[in-house]
């Protein structure tokens, strides 16, 4: 099917590419279906809503921001995602990109986790203060 | 909303497997222990509110992808 996107005009999406966020994403509970768009030009992954073209999160794998990024996924999340092994999960951090790109931040505290085996997704909220919701992506000069 | 008075070390049961215990009372703060099944998420409410705000803020930002691509290539 064809969908309208925020950044890439109309694109073709196959049924099997659709990622289901059964609980939505906090702040947007009514939108459950998304698709991942990788853009090599910019180097980001876009989490685009299928049902609302203007809703699109720009993300990066957290490990590209903090090399040793790791967390324990809650049992609740494992159950919801029906995740069998860690290798089946991809993790993405939602970016906040202001006009001044240098001040870009990443939400490392609430990563998006997707089970690639069944295309179920959630936004997990991590316990503890190890990671910030506004982690500076660029250190020093850009 | 049900409102109950509790003293230090007194508890509240919710259903069969959730227990909430007041472990410490200070002037403007109480410490609360929660015993709940592992598959049940226990959250500070304001944390979820922060995530919502952060998500909305992210989704609303207008990003000039071309300009961003130039910066990222450096």
């Amino acid at each position: 099917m064809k969908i309208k996107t925020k950044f890439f005009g109309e694109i073709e999406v196959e049924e099997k590419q659709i990622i289901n966020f059964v609980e939505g994403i906090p702040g947007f509970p009514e939108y459950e279906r998304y698709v991942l768009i990788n853009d090599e030009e910019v180097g980001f992954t876009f989490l685009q809503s299928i049902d609302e073209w203007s809703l699109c999160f720009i993300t990066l794998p957290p490990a590209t921001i903090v090399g040793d990024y790791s967390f324990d996924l809650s049992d609740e999340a494992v159950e919801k995602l029906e995740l069998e092994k860690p290798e089946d999960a991809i993790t993405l951090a939602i970016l906040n990109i202001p006009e001044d790109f240098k001040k870009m931040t990443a939400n490392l505290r609430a990563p998006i986790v997707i089970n690639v085996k069944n295309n179920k997704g959630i936004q997990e909220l991590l316990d503890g203060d190890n990671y910030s919701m506004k982690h500076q992506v660029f250190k020093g000069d850009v | 909303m049900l409102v109950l008075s509790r003293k230090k070390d007194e508890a509240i049961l919710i259903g069969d497997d959730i227990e909430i215990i007041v472990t410490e009372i200070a002037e403007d703060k109480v410490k609360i222990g929660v015993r709940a099944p592992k598959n049940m998420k226990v959250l500070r409410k304001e944390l979820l509110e922060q995530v919502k705000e952060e998500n909305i803020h992210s989704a609303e930002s207008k990003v000039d992808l071309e300009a961003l691509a130039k910066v990222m290539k450096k």
Side-chain angles (χ1 to χ4, degrees), chain A residues 52-115:
Chain A
E52 172 52 58
W53 69 270
S54 67
L55 178 57
C56 181
F57 298 99
I58 306 180
T59 75
L60 273 178
T64 63
I65 302 164
V66 178
D68 58 355
Y69 186 83
S70 72
F71 61 89
D72 287 323
L73 193 61
S74 67
D75 290 1
E76 189 197 25
V78 171
E79 263 179 38
K80 277 185 197 155
L81 293 170
E82 296 164 23
L83 194 64
E84 288 171 10
K85 45 185 195 296
E87 305 87 87
D88 292 341
I90 54 169
T91 307
L92 296 166
I94 295 180
L95 301 176
N96 227 311
I97 307 179
E99 251 174 79
D100 180 358
F101 298 140
K102 280 177 277 187
K103 295 190 177 136
M104 184 189 300
T105 61
N107 186 346
L108 299 182
R109 183 83 187 264
I112 296 287
V113 185
I114 295 165
N115 181 352

Side-chain angles (χ1 to χ4, degrees), chain B residues 1-67:
Chain B
M1 181 168 61
L2 172 69
V3 179
L4 300 168
S5 285
R6 300 280 67 196
K7 292 179 180 152
K8 185 175 181 301
D9 297 328
E10 289 184 338
I12 294 168
L13 296 173
I14 301 174
D16 293 330
D17 42 17
I18 300 171
E19 186 177 5
I20 295 168
I21 310 149
V22 177
T23 61
E24 204 180 299
I25 305 174
E27 205 167 316
D28 59 352
K29 198 159 114 182
V30 288
K31 268 197 183 162
I32 292 173
V34 180
R35 229 175 248 135
K38 268 182 92 185
N39 64 356
M40 200 168 274
K41 189 106 186 154
V42 178
L43 278 182
R44 291 179 182 84
K45 187 177 175 183
E46 70 273 15
L47 208 57
L48 183 61
E49 294 302 320
Q50 280 174 31
V51 175
K52 279 185 199 169
E53 266 173 42
E54 204 52 36
N55 284 345
I56 291 168
H57 191 199
S58 296
E60 278 173 353
S61 64
K62 292 189 174 56
V63 179
D64 180 347
L65 273 197
E66 269 177 48

Side-chain angles (χ1 to χ4, degrees), chain A residues 1 9 14-15 23 29 39 49 54 60 69 81 86 92 94 98 102 106 121 124 142:
Chain A
M1 65 173 157
E14 287 177 52
E15 201 68 33
E23 297 174 351
D39 184 69
S49 161
S54 67
L60 273 178
Y69 186 83
L81 293 170
L92 296 166
I94 295 180
K102 280 177 277 187
E124 174 75 332
V142 179

Side-chain angles (χ1 to χ4, degrees), chain A residues 28-48:
Chain A
F28 302 92
E30 64 273 48
Y31 300 110
E32 297 182 5
R33 305 191 303 160
Y34 289 83
V35 63
L36 289 179
I37 305 166
N38 283 305
D39 184 69
E40 278 158 30
E41 188 74 7
V42 226
F44 292 130
T45 299
F46 297 78
L47 185 63
Q48 168 70 50

